Amino acid sequence: MHSFGYRANALLTFSVTALAFICAIASLSDNFSNQNPSAEIQILNINRFKKQSYENDEVSLTLDISADLESLFTWNTKQVFAFVAAEYETPKNSLNQVSLWDAIIPDKEHAKFRIQTSNKYRFIDQGHNLRGKEFNLTLHWHVMPKTGKMFADKIVMPGYSLPDAYK
Amino acid sequence: MGWLGETVDSVKSIQIRQLLTQAISLVCCLIGMIVTSSLIIWKALICVTGSESPVVVVLSESMEPGFQRGDILFLHMSKDPIRAGEIVVFNIDGRDIPIVHRVIKVHERKNTGEVDVLTKGDNNPGDDRLLYAKGQLWLHRHHIMGRAVGFLPYVGWVTIIMTEKPIIKYILIGALGLLVISSRD
């Protein structure tokens, strides 16, 4: 009853259970944090808007993105992954989401930022539907915890549009 | 003398019987209880999460610093449409190791609801078209096994060590067997 094997087994079981319990509590505490992030995006310039040689539209733009994501960070947050996507509808597709830019925010100090950048990933349509197209720009964030459940949400900013003619 | 021989014989036969009993109980315990209960838990997880593999271990560094090698991810698959930003686990035809990356582009068809998806690892410079099968530009719903909804750090190292150094697996099973035998006394 008091052999080394039994004691080691009991210790291992107890420590694993205690660790699992602590992880669960840590994850649960994320539900109680008050989150109110804010963001604003402006399109500074449409750099290029053309039809690729094999029939898809492509546009390149410069964005001015400012956001305050400080309230998303809790003690259980490892990083916040933020990205900006363009969402629009076409005759063939009910929804198109194209990620234009993303960043990993490692801590609270970097969570309030403003950058001007051209799109990191190519904005290519399936077809040539982009002339005069109205679209939303959404800032998504994905909170990755040190342990437990991950949260994601977004801010939708409607009202952007592309020019009517190729450039 | 004959009486001594008889005693020796009976002692030997008891020992053989005990040995056989222990061997059978070892086999029953190991294979019966432990493996079966693990299988039951695994199948239950598959049912609850709706995904073919409800728990995966992160093997590469393509999602750092969010997911490090050795973390385990809990997956869940629902009928909800796939949207940009979700971390999905998918299989490429011809490869057997599932890949855990983030969705960066979604094109969803109006009439059929089918979807073209492009993924990228957070820590990779380019998107995953290099990883897809030859000529494949998009992922479709049937490639995707689940969405990552939660994770535990470091726990997956047990699996990685056992896969990369199988000797540890044998040592572990041997130790488990020894524990079962010794507990029978």
Side-chain angles (χ1 to χ4, degrees):
Chain A
M1 198 56 211
H2 299 292
S3 72
F4 176 73
Y6 275 111
R7 282 178 171 156
N9 185 33
L11 192 66
L12 192 66
T13 313
F14 180 69
S15 51
V16 169
T17 313
L19 270 176
F21 186 65
I22 292 176
C23 284
I25 299 276
S27 184
L28 231 69
S29 74
D30 273 342
N31 289 342
F32 298 113
S33 68
N34 215 2
Q35 301 181 339
N36 55 335
S38 65
E40 204 185 277
I41 306 182
Q42 283 178 326
I43 298 188
L44 289 182
N45 187 33
I46 308 273
N47 305 339
R48 235 180 29 237
F49 186 7
K50 65 181 181 33
K51 196 160 102 139
Q52 285 181 336
S53 56
Y54 44 90
E55 56 346 279
N56 289 333
D57 275 355
E58 178 176 350
V59 64
S60 155
L61 10 83
T62 307
L63 301 163
D64 178 330
I65 306 170
S66 63
D68 177 1
L69 300 176
E70 282 181 351
S71 59
L72 294 173
F73 279 86
T74 70
W75 65 283
N76 190 28
T77 305
K78 187 196 278 193
Q79 70 178 37
V80 170
F81 184 88
F83 69 99
V84 169
E87 292 180 1
Y88 61 97
E89 192 184 322
T90 60
K92 202 164 110 186
N93 292 340
S94 57
L95 175 66
N96 299 280
Q97 285 179 317
V98 180
S99 173
L100 298 177
W101 169 88
D102 56 34
I104 294 177
I105 305 173
D107 49 44
K108 205 165 174 171
E109 284 73 39
H110 293 92
K112 191 164 176 181
F113 60 90
R114 179 175 185 167
I115 69 163
Q116 295 181 345
T117 168
S118 58
N119 50 319
K120 212 168 160 184
Y121 306 116
R122 302 172 70 183
F123 188 163
I124 301 179
D125 184 31
Q126 287 185 334
H128 21 265
N129 308 299
L130 291 186
R131 276 164 294 176
K133 175 60 71 181
E134 286 186 9
F135 60 98
N136 296 341
L137 281 179
T138 48
L139 177 72
H140 296 242
W141 59 87
H142 203 137
V143 177
M144 291 157 89
K146 293 200 175 97
T147 167
K149 187 166 178 299
M150 300 191 282
F151 298 90
D153 206 348
K154 60 184 182 184
I155 298 180
V156 180
M157 286 159 282
Y160 300 91
S161 60
L162 290 170
D164 291 326
Y166 291 129
K167 219 165 115 156
Chain B
M1 261 319 169
W3 157 85
L4 196 62
E6 265 179 54
T7 321
V8 169
D9 278 8
S10 67
V11 165
K12 259 204 278 192
S13 71
I14 290 177
Q15 282 202 332
I16 289 180
R17 199 193 302 162
Q18 264 187 353
L19 215 65
L20 276 177
T21 314
Q22 282 201 346
I24 291 179
S25 73
L26 173 67
V27 167
C28 280
C29 265
L30 266 187
I31 297 183
M33 276 173 15
I34 299 178
V35 173
T36 307
S37 56
S38 316
L39 206 62
I40 291 177
I41 294 178
W42 185 249
K43 290 291 177 190
L45 269 180
I46 292 182
C47 259
V48 161
T49 63
S51 157
E52 278 170 23
S53 61
V55 180
V56 290
V57 177
V58 176
L59 292 173
S60 74
E61 297 122 7
S62 57
M63 285 294 278
E64 289 202 353
F67 298 149
Q68 319 260 356
R69 205 167 122 86
D71 295 341
I72 64 171
L73 295 177
F74 298 105
L75 306 184
H76 195 275
M77 191 63 190
S78 65
K79 292 257 185 316
D80 292 342
I82 301 176
R83 292 286 172 252
E86 294 176 345
I87 299 181
V88 295
V89 176
F90 57 92
N91 265 325
I92 303 289
D93 306 324
R95 288 174 192 242
D96 42 33
I97 304 181
I99 306 178
V100 185
H101 282 170
R102 193 185 296 271
V103 172
I104 60 168
K105 289 194 187 170
V106 170
H107 294 280
E108 181 173 306
R109 298 268 175 279
K110 249 185 200 164
N111 38 9
T112 61
E114 277 170 23
V115 70
D116 287 340
V117 163
L118 180 61
T119 58
K120 174 181 175 288
D122 290 349
N123 206 23
N124 287 347
D127 59 35
D128 287 346
R129 289 215 165 110
L130 296 170
L131 294 174
Y132 296 166
K134 192 160 176 203
Q136 180 185 2
L137 290 176
W138 302 100
L139 283 182
H140 302 115
R141 205 187 171 92
H142 66 88
H143 290 112
I144 293 181
M145 294 183 341
R147 273 176 270 254
V149 293
F151 96 121
L152 275 182
Y154 310 123
V155 179
W157 271 113
V158 178
T159 313
I160 293 184
I161 292 176
M162 292 216 286
T163 315
E164 296 191 351
K165 300 208 183 343
I167 188 87
I168 303 225
K169 199 170 19 177
Y170 300 135
I171 293 179
L172 220 65
I173 293 189
L176 212 66
L178 242 81
L179 202 70
V180 171
I181 294 181
S182 61
S183 74
R184 281 279 141 193
D185 292 343

